[in-house]
Amino acid sequence: MTKTNLEQCVTEFSIMPRGYIFVPKGQAFITGHCRRKTLEINKTVYTVRSKPNGGGRVLGIRVPHFIFGTVCAMEALTRADRQLAVKKADSKLKKSFAEAVVSMYPQVPESEIPRIVDRATKKHSKRVGRTGKLDVDTRAKLAVRAHIRHVYTSYDKLLRDGIEWEEAREKTLARIGEVAMLWGEQPTTFEKGVKDRAERKRQLLSEELMRRRDKIRQRLDGHATTAGNYERTRDGERGEIYDSDKSDGHPSDDQMDLD
């Protein structure tokens, strides 16, 4: 049997195989070792999910009872050493993270550094300090900006007021940039390019608005000229009518004076 054939998905309502036990998700050491040791002896590992046909979330695994007992004994024997190793790894992570923060933000208040580091590297928080997909400088920058967002802006209040998080982030972006620059953040080439493009966009928009304003003024001036010509035309027509009245055979005032 291949490894794929030795792993099957079931639901919590499926009949438990004889000699098996359910191991809930949550203890990585136990579930990981139970899975590996079960496959090593060519026994099936049953992944228990909340929905049938492999759907829903993973609840745990079903493995042979004796495998589970062996792994639990191993976990108890190695617990102290593993806890010490984890503590050393966490300390190393926090130290390197703090150094990256100070390197990128030399003017950051000293009292803020532990708060930034502790929040970003908190276990099981899925925050940026724990990810392995980004380098430490990028993680430090994102962590500092997240700290500024929550502590130095109205971001949390906007969320409480019902503002969507995208809009709340947009509203607080300028303030985050101001504080970050005060703390010594240097804009990247990409950010400079974004800023230049934004400035150019504003210039183009301003020029477009000016062109539209000039067009509106020209239209208004054109309407005013047309209206003036119309009035002058009407005045001219009234003048012609008046002159025709004068020439209907009756002497004008000037003619009467001459006579």
Side-chain angles (χ1 to χ4, degrees):
M1 269 191 168
T2 64
K3 183 179 177 180
T4 303
N5 293 332
L6 290 173
E7 296 189 48
Q8 298 182 23
C9 288
V10 298
T11 68
E12 57 186 319
F13 305 107
S14 301
I15 298 175
M16 180 74 72
R18 180 176 296 180
Y20 273 68
I21 187 173
F22 173 69
V23 182
K25 179 183 177 182
Q27 299 185 55
F29 180 90
I30 291 179
T31 54
H33 279 77
C34 282
R35 179 186 295 275
R36 184 168 66 253
K37 287 185 174 298
T38 301
L39 294 175
E40 285 175 355
I41 61 173
N42 291 324
K43 291 287 186 179
T44 302
V45 175
Y46 297 92
T47 300
V48 182
R49 306 188 73 97
S50 60
K51 294 182 180 181
N53 301 320
R57 58 190 180 87
V58 176
L59 303 177
I61 58 175
R62 291 174 177 176
V63 296
H65 200 290
F66 73 92
I67 292 287
F68 177 66
T70 301
V71 171
C72 285
M74 184 191 310
E75 191 277 332
L77 287 173
T78 60
R79 186 180 302 159
D81 291 338
R82 288 186 292 106
Q83 288 177 344
L84 181 60
V86 169
K87 187 175 182 180
K88 288 182 178 179
D90 287 345
S91 179
K92 183 179 179 180
L93 172 64
K94 289 186 176 183
K95 182 180 178 182
S96 64
F97 203 85
E99 290 173 349
V101 169
V102 174
S103 175
M104 297 189 68
Y105 298 88
Q107 276 76 51
V108 60
E110 189 173 348
S111 60
E112 299 288 355
I113 297 174
R115 299 174 64 189
I116 295 170
V117 174
D118 289 344
R119 185 180 189 280
T121 59
K122 184 178 179 180
K123 282 189 173 182
H124 311 300
S125 65
K126 296 183 179 181
R127 289 176 182 152
V128 69
R130 289 278 173 181
T131 182
K133 298 180 180 180
L134 302 171
D135 61 81
V136 66
D137 288 343
T138 302
R139 284 182 282 148
K141 181 175 181 179
L142 293 173
V144 170
R145 283 182 161 263
H147 177 75
I148 296 172
R149 181 183 302 113
H150 289 285
V151 178
Y152 289 87
T153 75
S154 59
Y155 179 75
D156 292 334
K157 183 180 183 301
L158 291 172
L159 295 182
R160 289 194 299 269
D161 292 341
I163 302 297
E164 294 293 333
W165 70 269
E166 296 96 336
E167 184 179 353
R169 288 201 171 196
E170 183 69 24
K171 288 179 178 293
T172 56
L173 188 60
R175 175 58 180 165
I176 293 171
E178 290 175 3
V179 177
M181 294 296 285
L182 288 175
W183 289 1
E185 179 181 288
Q186 298 298 319
T188 63
T189 303
F190 172 76
E191 289 170 331
K192 288 179 180 178
V194 171
K195 185 177 180 180
D196 292 342
R197 287 194 295 272
E199 181 63 28
R200 179 55 181 162
K201 187 176 181 180
R202 283 193 293 269
Q203 290 179 355
L204 292 174
L205 179 61
S206 177
E207 293 173 359
E208 178 63 22
L209 291 174
M210 291 179 65
R211 283 195 294 268
R212 291 184 181 182
R213 183 191 62 186
D214 292 341
K215 286 183 179 180
I216 292 173
R217 285 181 175 177
Q218 290 174 2
R219 289 177 182 177
L220 292 175
D221 292 342
H223 288 313
T225 301
T226 302
N229 292 335
Y230 175 75
E231 290 298 326
R232 285 193 293 272
T233 302
R234 292 296 301 276
D235 289 342
E237 291 176 351
R238 285 195 294 269
E240 291 176 359
I241 294 172
Y242 182 69
D243 290 341
S244 64
D245 289 342
K246 288 182 179 180
S247 59
D248 60 356
H250 297 284
S252 65
D253 293 336
D254 293 338
Q255 290 174 335
M256 291 178 66
D257 290 339
L258 288 174
D259 292 340

